[in-house]
Every structure is written in C-alpha cells, then in structure tokens.
C-alpha cells in the first residue's frame, strides 16, 4: 500500500541534536575556494559535476549471491540469471516488460515483485545483493548502494547503473540534512531508490520502509526536495483518523521545506513563504473532510500553509524551544490514531499557549490567514 505519492504542483556535529531548538545550518565558508560552492550546488541539483567528501559509510561489502544479470529479448521478455544460495545457477523469464524499465546495457530491470523466485525475494533483505524491493516492484541487476547512519535512523540510497546520480552523494546529503532532527521512532531503517521516470509518480513511499523517487536532483532550485519529502513519509510511524489524513502529505511537504531552510544556506524562510504563497488556499475546502476537496490536492497546498502557522505558533509560544518537529515526534509516540483534538493537545503542550484556533483551521473552510497571522519566528535561524 502506498503511504504517500508525490504528485505535487511544481516543484552537526556534537552528537544527536533534537529539534527542540532550531538546528544550526550547514554554512559554506566564503574563505574556501569558490569551487566548494559549486560542489554543494552540484550535489543538490546544479553546477558542474564534482565529488563530495563522504561521511561515515556503513558496510557496503557485496554478497556472493545471487549476483543477478539481466538480458532483454526483442520480444519484450527479460531473462534474469542468478546464483542460488547453494551456488547453483538458475534463471527466471519475465514477459511484457516495459522497455522504459529495463536497461540491457547497464544490466538492470524493474519488474513486478510477484515475478521474483524465492531465492531473489530472500536476497532482497540485503540491498547489496542486486535485488531491492520497493512496494510491489523489484529492482534487479546492477545497482549501486550507499547506506549511512542518519541521526537515530539508517538511510540507504540505491541507484541503478547508468543513471547519472551518485548514491554516496545522495546518502551524504540526506544524512547531513536530517541528522539534527529526532523524528522517532528510533532505529528506523529506510531505503530510497532513484527510479526511471517511467514510474507513475515523482516519488512514492510504502509501509515497508521503502520509497522511490524519479527526480535525480536533491533540490529543486527553490525550496523543495522530493528526496526529503519521501524521507519524511518514511518516518511517519503514526496512524491517523480520517479527519487527520491531510497531515500525511502536508507534513511531508512543509517539513521538507523547513529542513531545506534550516540546513542549506541558499534556502531561506522567505523562500518558504514564497512557495506557500504560490499555493492555492482552496478556501472552500475543509482539511478534515476530503470529500470537500473536489479532486484537488488540498493536503499538498492548504495543509502546508496551515502547518507553517502551527510551527510559528509553537516557536513563538515556547520562545524557540520547540518546533513542529517535536510535535511530529510526539505523534509517532502515540498508541492511538491521531485525532484533531489530540493534535491540538500536542501543539499546546509544546507552545504553552491555548491554540483553539487550530481546530477551526482544520474543520472549517475559509481563508487561512483568518486563523493566525504569520509572524517571523524563523528569522534567527
């Protein structure tokens, strides 16, 4: 089952930092040669190709099996040869493979997971095996993998051969940008695969802790990041009542903006505000009732606008000691599905103020600014 699908409009050191105070940014020193700026810009999506010094990588040794190889036929079939755990050779033939999902020269294919024989399905537990499953799909063959510790979680990035992206750079930036935030639950293992753009969404996340993105760039050049959006989805460990379903996409969108603004100096709160201002408020829609959305992505637009105001209220009320990231973590610690009343309570626990306006903002239509004027609690980041 897909947890979140990105189909939105446009696009530290010192140990484990908690999001109870605004984290320090990654600052690019102007004393260093200008090429350093080009390196960072490249890894995020612009500038000339350049390498980034990696952080601590986890074990990337490759197993001896199944070592799958891929050969595409002229009739739309793909043959996958592989070695079983006992050492014998075997193969499976998959019919009617979308030609956009196979690269015979680079040696990989994307197939429906149900085609995997038991040996390949078992090998998928190890991303280095050449078999990685993402929801109901399987990536098989020549895959590059990079795994890193990222705060209280582990992030693994997988890139099929021939796609112009470096998994070590992608895992590096994911780890650097998300490590300052304690999102809970602890010990989470996450996998993000860079997939061919023939897949139906810019990104999609599944309940088994896997996701794919079809956008090679880490940063969209403004404020967004599909990579961070899907990562936030991967850390959503709570259940929600129907009245809070909107929070799933709204938090992935807003928190990915906020992480970029706090961790990358080329993105500012003004950029976040500009992006939010460009999104429709859908004033006739009610967040708590998807039947009022009329097929529009209200959770991607009205939702993030509300969460900006909620985050501002938390930061103002707590004098910057707490943020929406703390509420996100608290949601993950709940034993019961999230309700509007519980969300309000958690916000008030962290802001120290009466936030009754939140209930109206979620359950009533109307202009978003009528509930709370945007203040400037983000200016001291």
């Amino acid at each position: 089952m897909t947890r979140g699908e990105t189909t939105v409009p446009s696009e530290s050191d010192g140990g484990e930092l908690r999001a109870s105070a605004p984290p320090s940014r990654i600052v690019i020193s102007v004393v260093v040669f200008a090429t350093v700026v080009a390196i960072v810009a490249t890894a995020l999506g612009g500038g000339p190709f350049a390498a980034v010094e990696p952080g601590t990588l986890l074990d990337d040794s490759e197993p001896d099996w199944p070592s799958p190889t891929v050969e595409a036929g002229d009739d739309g079939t793909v043959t996958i040869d592989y070695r079983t755990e006992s050492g014998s050779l075997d193969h499976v033939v998959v019919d009617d493979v979308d030609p956009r999902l196979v690269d015979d020269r680079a040696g990989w294919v994307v197939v429906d997971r149900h085609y995997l024989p038991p040996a390949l399905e078992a090998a998928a537990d190890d991303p280095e095996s050449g078999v990685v499953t993402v929801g109901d799909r399987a990536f098989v063959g020549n895959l590059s993998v990079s795994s890193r510790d990222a705060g209280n979680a582990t992030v693994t990035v997988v890139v099929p051969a021939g796609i112009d992206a470096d998994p070590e750079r992608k895992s590096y930036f994911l780890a650097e940008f998300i490590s300052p935030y304690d999102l809970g639950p602890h010990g989470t293992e996450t996998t993000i695969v860079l997939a061919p753009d023939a897949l139906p969404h810019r990104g999609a996340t599944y309940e088994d802790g896997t996701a794919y993105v079809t956008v090679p760039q880490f940063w969209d050049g403004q404020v967004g990041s599909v990579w961070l959006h899907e990562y936030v989805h991967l850390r959503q460990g709570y259940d929600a009542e129907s009245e809070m379903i909107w929070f799933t996409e709204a938090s992935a969108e807003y928190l990915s903006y906020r992480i970029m603004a706090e961790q990358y100096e080329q993105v500012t709160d003004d950029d976040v505000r500009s992006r939010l201002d460009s999104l429709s408020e859908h004033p006739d829609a009610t967040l708590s009732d998807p039947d009022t959305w009329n097929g529009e992505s209200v959770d991607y637009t009205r939702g993030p606008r509300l969460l900006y105001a909620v985050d501002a209220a938390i930061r103002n009320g707590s004098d910057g000691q707490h943020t929406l990231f703390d509420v996100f973590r608290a949601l993950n610690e709940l034993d019961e599905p999230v309700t509007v009343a519980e969300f309000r309570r958690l916000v008030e626990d962290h802001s120290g103020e009466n936030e009754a306006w939140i209930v109206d903002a979620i359950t009533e239509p109307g202009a978003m600014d009528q509930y709370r004027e945007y203040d400037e609690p983000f200016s001291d980041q």
Side-chain angles (χ1 to χ4, degrees):
M1 176 180 177
T2 305
R3 175 145 198 146
E5 296 175 347
T6 303
T7 56
V8 296
S10 76
E11 240 205 281
S12 128
D13 65 31
E16 193 176 288
L17 301 181
R18 297 173 69 88
S20 56
S24 301
R25 292 188 183 184
I26 299 173
V27 179
I28 305 173
S29 175
V30 296
V31 179
V32 185
F33 294 109
T35 52
V36 174
V37 177
I39 289 173
V40 175
T42 296
L44 294 175
F49 186 89
V52 174
E53 184 68 24
T56 302
L57 291 168
L58 303 182
D59 180 29
D60 63 352
S61 58
E62 297 186 8
D64 295 332
W65 72 281
S67 303
T69 60
V70 172
E71 182 178 357
D74 295 333
D75 56 355
T77 63
V78 171
T79 301
I80 303 172
D81 293 303
Y82 62 94
R83 187 178 299 276
T84 67
E85 191 170 9
S86 64
S88 62
L89 296 177
D90 207 340
H91 72 276
V92 60
V93 178
V94 182
D95 297 323
D96 300 322
V97 175
D98 186 334
R100 301 172 299 169
L101 298 180
V102 58
D103 189 328
D104 191 31
R105 184 184 298 271
W108 56 264
V109 66
V110 184
V111 298
D112 288 346
R113 185 171 180 172
H114 70 266
Y115 285 116
L116 293 184
L120 293 184
E121 181 68 44
D125 290 337
D126 181 359
E128 297 286 347
S129 68
V131 183
V132 175
T133 54
V134 180
D136 57 358
R137 296 180 177 86
F139 293 71
V140 182
N142 190 3
L143 310 174
S144 296
V145 179
S146 177
S147 296
R148 296 178 190 270
D149 285 325
N152 63 358
T154 299
V155 60
T156 296
V157 173
V158 180
V159 178
I163 294 181
D164 188 14
D166 183 349
E168 290 193 3
R169 282 223 308 260
K170 291 296 187 288
S171 67
Y172 171 83
F173 276 99
L174 278 170
E176 286 294 305
F177 281 34
I178 63 185
S179 289
Y181 304 95
D182 181 1
L183 300 177
H186 292 247
T188 302
E189 294 186 0
T190 61
T191 299
I192 301 179
V193 180
L194 179 57
D197 60 12
L199 293 188
H201 307 287
R202 293 170 64 221
T205 304
Y206 299 85
E207 293 180 349
D208 62 357
T210 63
Y212 75 77
V213 298
T214 60
V215 180
Q217 294 78 15
F218 187 84
W219 175 45
D220 69 4
Q222 297 176 351
V223 66
S225 170
V226 176
W227 291 79
L228 288 174
H229 178 105
E230 298 307 329
Y231 181 79
V232 174
H233 276 315
L234 289 170
R235 302 304 301 277
Q236 291 170 333
Y238 57 84
D239 291 322
E241 296 289 357
S242 60
E243 62 190 15
M244 284 296 295
I245 290 297
W246 64 273
F247 187 81
T248 299
E249 294 299 342
S251 61
E253 196 72 351
Y254 172 73
L255 293 180
S256 65
Y257 297 166
R258 184 54 54 199
I259 292 171
M260 288 299 301
E262 292 182 346
Q263 302 302 321
Y264 186 46
E265 68 170 6
Q266 293 194 34
V267 178
T268 67
D269 185 60
D270 286 341
D271 296 320
V272 176
R273 290 282 294 273
S274 294
R275 173 62 65 85
L276 294 174
D277 289 343
S278 72
L279 303 177
S280 172
E281 279 194 338
H282 296 289
D284 296 330
T286 300
L287 282 171
S288 61
D289 184 5
D291 289 341
T292 67
W293 299 358
N294 296 321
E296 300 291 337
S297 299
V298 174
D299 47 348
Y300 283 95
T301 56
R302 185 175 177 84
R305 290 173 70 104
L306 172 58
L307 290 185
Y308 184 102
V310 172
D311 199 10
I314 296 170
R315 294 174 190 242
N316 279 344
S318 67
D319 293 326
Q321 295 304 302
H322 296 294
T323 74
L324 186 62
F325 290 100
D326 295 295
V327 172
F328 184 96
R329 182 178 66 253
L331 291 174
N332 276 335
E333 295 170 352
L334 293 176
D335 294 326
E336 300 295 329
V338 182
T339 63
V340 172
E342 187 67 12
F343 181 62
R344 172 191 170 181
R345 182 188 70 79
L346 290 174
V347 171
E348 291 178 340
D349 285 350
H350 290 87
S351 73
E353 304 286 344
N354 184 327
E355 308 292 359
W357 62 274
I358 290 176
V359 175
D360 291 338
I362 296 173
T363 61
E364 300 292 337
M368 193 59 62
D369 288 349
Q370 71 175 308
Y371 300 111
R372 187 178 184 91
E373 292 294 329
Y374 290 163
D375 295 317
E376 297 182 0
F378 308 102
S379 58
D380 295 329
Q381 293 173 358

